[in-house]
Amino acid sequence: MAETASFLRYFPYEEPYDHQRDAMERIDEALADERDVLFEGACGTGKTLAALAPALAYADREDKTVVISTNVHQQTRQFIEEARAITDQQPLRAVVFRGKGSMCHIDVDYEECQALRDTTRELVDNEEELAELEAREEELLAAAQEGNEEAAEARSAVMEELEVLLDDVETLREEGNICERFHANLTDDTEEFYAWLDGNVRTPEEVYEYAESAGYCGYELLKEGMEGVDLVICNYHHLLDPMVREQFFRWLGRDPEDVITVFDEAHNVEAAAREHATSDLTETTLTSALDELGDVDDYRTEAADRVIGAYRDALAGVYDEALSVGDREAVDEEWTDLTVESETGRDDLTVAFLEAYEGPGFRQDLDAALELGETLDRRYQEQYKNGETTSRKECRVLQAAGFIDEWMTRAIAADAYPVVSVRRGDGGIYGRAELYACLPRSVTAPLFENLHASVLMSATLRPFDVLGDVLGIEDPVRMAYGEQFPEERRRTFAVDVPALFASTRDDPGTQETVTELLTDAVRFTPGNTLVFFPSYAEAERYYHRLGTDATPYLDRPGVRAQELKEEFVADDDGVLFTSLWGTLGEGVSYDGDDARTVVVVGVPYPRLDDRLEAVERAYAETFDEAAGWEYAVEVPTVRKTRQALGRVVRSPEDFGVRILLDERYTARNAAELGDYSVHETFPPEERREHIDVRPGKLKYAMLNFYVDMDAFDGTPPTP
């Protein structure tokens, strides 16, 4: 018990809640057993500290490093605040790490940065050697002046070396591409920087500002300062991208088995991993690769030209054949998917490629193209390092050949779905080939298998068995803690309106019913109302239909939502219309008066396009037939719905109403609706709080609750 209680050293407040202490003890035991943890906790559970405290305590005992990651900026800020609170009472070396793109002082890409670093290191090495030779030359000169003939001969040899080395240094200085900031990192005394860095938990912005004023490269200093730290705060990218992860752990000076990871908002890991496992190649890149080959004198050029040219022609041919005249005119700046998958065998693009290719064998030519691409890529690196070019040229041949190689391997695999898309650019319509990842566990399973252990936490992880299957997590510890705030200060109503299927949404009677209910919800809310719909189109429909005294706000796709959110929360009688699949449904808090009521209209299933159907099939084939719909559609949709409901009632003093507008949420209709009902998909303690109400009774139920909360200024509205 004494060892277990050591985690309290990392708890920066007086006493943890009972549920927090329970969670800490269970996580500490799981880490000792090298088991992953699936940790669901509602808002107010104190998940961050409940996970961090035992992880840091265990890491201190067993010489591990803790990495906590999220894909939500607001959560990163919270991690920093919690880490600072911990360091106030317990010494802790913590680093907040961000990608190079946001921290570079001279705005170069990764390849250019690598070349600059290589050249700068070479210069510094030469300068150091030059200084050593100069010191040696002075020693030999003094000895020669005293009559030492051997010293005189040795000095002559050193002088020759000095002359050559001096020329090299001058050449690198004058003609090479050098990063002066990185040069300062390597040559200046940076102890003061690292003392400052270790003095507190510094944000990337603070590191950037310090380095900017001191003439350093803050990103490289941060990398060098990560070895042996206790805690790293970063985003998902550093863990989910296999190549980045390998470098990241190298900077930490840790093997994977010496790392404990904590994933926040872990219900998002599936989508993030899928994104990292997806790859694509545009027609413009293929054309650039062919143009690049035209300038290359190499025996492998013809082979590369045959295979890349055939793939480009096949891509153009596939989308030309698929697009009718009307379809072609409708193509805009957004990517539009075309179906190329075939139920009988290889996809249309692969078949078209094999038909278009003419040569001794596409595999032989593809191998030659890959070898040539690697040769050219090394050449471009050297040219940039040596100052022969002002920017680091990207090798399109390597990119094209690498993708074609991957396509011919993965397009027939269960984990990837082949897609061809088109969009309109300045030169007209062009295409893109994409391997859309269906099974994110291809990325996550190797990660979780190799780490010491991981804690995945969120307010909406359940059902745990689905998450474990999807991410490839074997035998995790499962723990869930429900709402911690007073139940009497919240109500969740499931309104018994006919199921709002996509096929009935255009029905005038359905629209009138929904409009009346939303009008009641807004009118009987003493403050702001959030309304979530299955799509932006539905949100806009009711934005125009609703007529109340409340100020309407419409969230639109492709428009920054943060400014809209700030306008909305500044109001005291507003209604915000948005899509459940937008950016305002999770990771955004509406505290206190920011919003009192949240409404989810319908069961907001995503649009069932070819990609989602491919994911559904992949899950059905990997697990069982029933898992397809459940894993791909129903569970993610209910998680999104639960996230939306959690936007209100964010503290013990807060209060609010949550409304589910569809009979599929009700308990009374669950048996009758059968598989259409989603009532049982919610966790049991949440289902118990759902109160079924008839449409005409919603306004009375809301009025009674808000009167009990003494929420109205003046006389309450009359039903």
Side-chain angles (χ1 to χ4, degrees):
M1 178 60 71
E3 192 172 62
T4 301
S6 68
F7 55 67
L8 293 178
R9 292 187 294 119
Y10 295 91
F11 188 82
Y13 306 113
E14 287 189 12
E15 282 291 329
Y17 299 119
D18 290 343
H19 66 270
Q20 272 185 311
R21 180 185 285 272
D22 180 68
M24 292 178 193
E25 290 176 353
R26 295 180 65 186
I27 291 172
D28 190 85
E29 292 170 2
L31 296 177
D33 294 336
E34 299 186 33
R35 294 179 66 191
D36 298 321
V37 178
L38 304 183
F39 175 16
E40 179 173 297
C43 177
T45 305
K47 294 185 293 294
T48 300
L49 283 175
L52 265 185
L56 289 169
Y58 182 84
D60 181 46
R61 294 197 305 268
E62 303 296 331
D63 189 26
K64 310 292 183 186
T65 291
V66 177
V67 178
I68 185 167
S69 68
T70 183
N71 65 338
V72 179
H73 290 305
Q74 183 173 321
Q75 292 303 108
T76 300
R77 291 193 291 271
Q78 181 186 340
F79 295 162
I80 293 170
E81 291 173 5
E82 301 284 25
R84 284 174 171 169
I86 292 171
T87 58
D88 286 342
Q89 73 173 38
Q90 180 68 29
L92 184 73
R93 287 189 63 210
V95 165
V96 185
F97 196 72
R98 188 180 291 172
K100 191 198 81 67
S102 62
M103 294 190 68
C104 183
H105 301 266
I106 58 175
D107 194 24
V108 296
D109 62 24
Y110 176 80
E111 287 78 11
E112 289 181 330
C113 180
Q114 179 64 54
L116 285 172
R117 293 199 309 272
D118 289 345
T119 310
T120 305
R121 278 200 180 93
E122 183 181 352
L123 173 62
V124 170
D125 288 344
N126 285 352
E127 288 174 336
E128 290 175 352
E129 187 178 351
L130 184 64
E132 291 173 1
L133 284 175
E134 287 175 341
R136 177 60 175 159
E137 186 272 333
E138 290 180 2
E139 292 175 1
L140 292 171
L141 174 60
Q145 289 174 340
E146 294 177 0
N148 188 326
E149 294 184 3
E150 290 183 0
E153 292 180 7
R155 177 175 177 269
S156 178
V158 168
M159 290 291 290
E160 291 179 5
E161 287 185 55
L162 271 173
E163 186 176 350
V164 172
L165 196 56
L166 190 58
D167 286 343
D168 290 344
V169 168
E170 289 177 354
T171 299
L172 284 171
R173 273 288 182 191
E174 295 173 4
E175 301 178 10
N177 282 312
I178 305 298
C179 176
E180 294 296 342
R181 289 181 173 276
F182 187 55
H183 188 274
N185 285 12
L186 298 176
T187 56
D188 289 1
D189 183 355
T190 55
E191 286 187 11
E192 184 177 336
F193 168 81
Y194 287 116
W196 169 83
L197 183 68
D198 292 340
N200 206 331
V201 183
R202 309 297 183 182
T203 66
E205 291 80 9
E206 290 171 334
V207 172
Y208 182 93
E209 290 172 5
Y210 186 112
E212 178 72 18
S213 62
Y216 296 140
C217 171
Y219 178 75
E220 291 297 323
L221 285 178
L222 201 56
K223 277 169 48 179
E224 293 296 322
M226 285 174 61
E227 186 167 356
V229 297
D230 304 303
L231 173 67
V232 181
I233 300 170
C234 65
N235 61 36
Y236 285 173
H237 176 67
H238 296 96
L239 294 173
L240 295 180
D241 186 298
M243 293 184 63
V244 173
R245 180 170 69 242
E246 183 179 348
Q247 291 181 322
F248 185 60
F249 287 170
R250 191 182 308 126
W251 299 333
L252 288 175
R254 294 292 194 181
D255 293 324
E257 58 266 27
D258 295 320
V259 175
I260 299 166
T261 61
V262 179
F263 283 89
D264 188 49
E265 301 294 343
H267 61 280
N268 289 323
V269 170
E270 175 185 357
R274 180 172 287 120
E275 182 180 339
H276 279 86
T278 295
S279 54
D280 60 55
L281 182 73
T282 65
E283 185 179 355
T284 52
T285 299
L286 288 163
T287 300
S288 297
L290 293 171
D291 291 342
E292 184 179 10
L293 289 170
D295 298 328
V296 174
D297 182 14
D298 189 281
Y299 69 93
R300 295 162 291 190
T301 300
E302 290 185 7
D305 189 84
R306 282 194 297 266
V307 73
I308 295 174
Y311 196 84
R312 184 193 64 174
D313 293 345
L315 175 60
V318 165
Y319 73 70
D320 273 339
E321 184 176 341
L323 289 173
S324 65
V325 175
D327 291 337
R328 186 176 294 275
E329 292 176 352
V331 174
D332 58 19
E333 295 178 352
E334 299 296 323
W335 287 108
T336 300
D337 287 355
L338 306 173
T339 301
V340 296
E341 187 187 38
S342 171
E343 296 181 0
T344 59
R346 288 185 177 272
D347 63 274
D348 295 344
L349 178 53
T350 300
V351 171
F353 166 64
L354 294 174
E355 291 176 351
Y357 172 78
E358 295 180 355
F362 84 85
R363 173 51 60 187
Q364 175 182 329
D365 280 354
L366 186 54
D367 288 343
L370 287 166
E371 291 175 3
L372 176 59
E374 291 170 356
T375 299
L376 293 174
D377 195 56
R378 288 192 296 269
R379 182 184 303 170
Y380 299 153
Q381 180 84 349
E382 289 301 314
Q383 288 173 341
Y384 182 65
K385 283 173 55 179
N386 296 333
E388 298 172 36
T389 57
T390 57
S391 62
R392 206 285 193 182
K393 186 177 179 180
E394 292 189 40
C395 184
R396 303 302 186 188
V397 171
L398 184 59
Q399 293 175 10
F403 179 82
I404 296 170
D405 182 45
E406 183 182 7
W407 180 279
M408 297 305 292
T409 303
R410 287 185 65 199
I412 58 173
D415 74 321
Y417 174 65
V419 183
V420 167
S421 308
V422 291
R423 68 182 293 187
R424 190 177 299 278
D426 294 338
I429 294 174
Y430 66 99
R432 177 184 70 182
E434 179 181 354
L435 286 167
Y436 180 70
C438 296
L439 299 176
R441 62 185 290 153
S442 64
V443 169
T444 55
L447 168 65
F448 294 125
E449 182 180 352
N450 291 325
L451 294 168
H452 176 83
S454 295
V455 180
L456 289 84
M457 61 185 189
S458 168
T460 57
L461 281 190
R462 287 179 286 180
F464 290 136
D465 57 339
V466 173
L467 187 76
D469 285 347
V470 167
L471 299 183
I473 300 175
E474 302 291 339
D475 188 32
V477 173
R478 307 174 182 198
M479 43 199 286
Y481 301 87
E483 298 263 14
Q484 301 300 313
F485 304 145
E487 186 174 343
E488 63 270 16
R489 300 184 70 81
R490 63 180 181 270
R491 291 290 185 274
T492 305
F493 298 119
V495 186
D496 189 7
V497 297
L500 301 175
F501 295 115
S503 59
T504 64
R505 290 177 192 157
D506 291 332
D507 179 74
T510 298
Q511 293 178 19
E512 185 61 31
T513 299
V514 173
T515 301
E516 290 176 1
L517 284 166
L518 290 178
T519 300
D520 287 346
V522 173
R523 185 164 169 257
F524 287 88
T525 295
N528 291 339
T529 305
L530 279 166
V531 189
F532 292 95
F533 295 87
S535 67
Y536 284 108
E538 285 292 290
E540 185 170 4
R541 184 205 298 271
Y542 288 96
Y543 169 82
H544 293 298
R545 285 188 61 90
L546 209 65
T548 69
D549 292 336
T551 306
Y553 298 87
L554 177 63
D555 182 22
R556 300 177 186 273
V559 178
R560 280 180 56 84
Q562 183 59 32
E563 290 84 353
L564 179 71
K565 188 249 184 183
E566 291 172 358
E567 290 180 32
F568 170 68
V569 301
D571 207 330
D572 58 5
D573 187 20
V575 51
L576 175 59
F577 300 80
T578 186
S579 167
L580 190 83
W581 300 94
T583 59
L584 296 176
E586 62 175 273
V588 181
S589 293
Y590 297 85
D591 302 324
D593 294 332
D594 289 355
R596 285 290 172 211
T597 297
V598 59
V599 187
V600 177
V601 179
V603 179
Y605 290 126
R607 186 171 66 88
L608 299 180
D609 57 15
D610 289 349
R611 292 173 187 251
L612 190 53
E613 289 179 357
V615 172
E616 186 179 346
R617 286 196 304 274
Y619 283 145
E621 292 171 5
T622 304
F623 303 109
D624 59 63
E625 188 172 347
W629 171 265
E630 181 187 7
Y631 287 23
V633 182
E634 182 167 300
V635 167
T637 298
V638 172
R639 283 194 184 123
K640 277 284 188 181
T641 302
R642 294 175 64 209
Q643 282 285 330
L645 296 181
R647 294 313 92 203
V648 299
V649 190
R650 307 288 294 179
S651 71
E653 298 76 27
D654 207 351
F655 60 91
V657 168
R658 297 167 309 194
I659 301 171
L660 295 164
L661 212 63
D662 194 300
E663 66 176 335
R664 288 171 286 180
Y665 294 112
T666 63
R668 68 165 62 102
N669 293 339
E672 180 183 344
L673 289 169
D675 290 342
Y676 290 112
S677 172
V678 296
H679 177 71
E680 293 295 321
T681 311
F682 286 79
E685 74 277 6
E686 292 181 19
R687 293 199 301 268
R688 286 193 294 269
E689 287 195 32
H690 291 186
I691 303 170
D692 292 356
V693 296
R694 300 295 185 187
K697 299 297 184 181
L698 175 63
K699 56 188 173 185
Y700 296 100
M702 293 182 65
L703 177 63
N704 290 337
F705 171 75
Y706 280 126
V707 166
D708 288 345
M709 291 293 103
D710 194 24
F712 293 102
D713 292 331
T715 305
T718 303

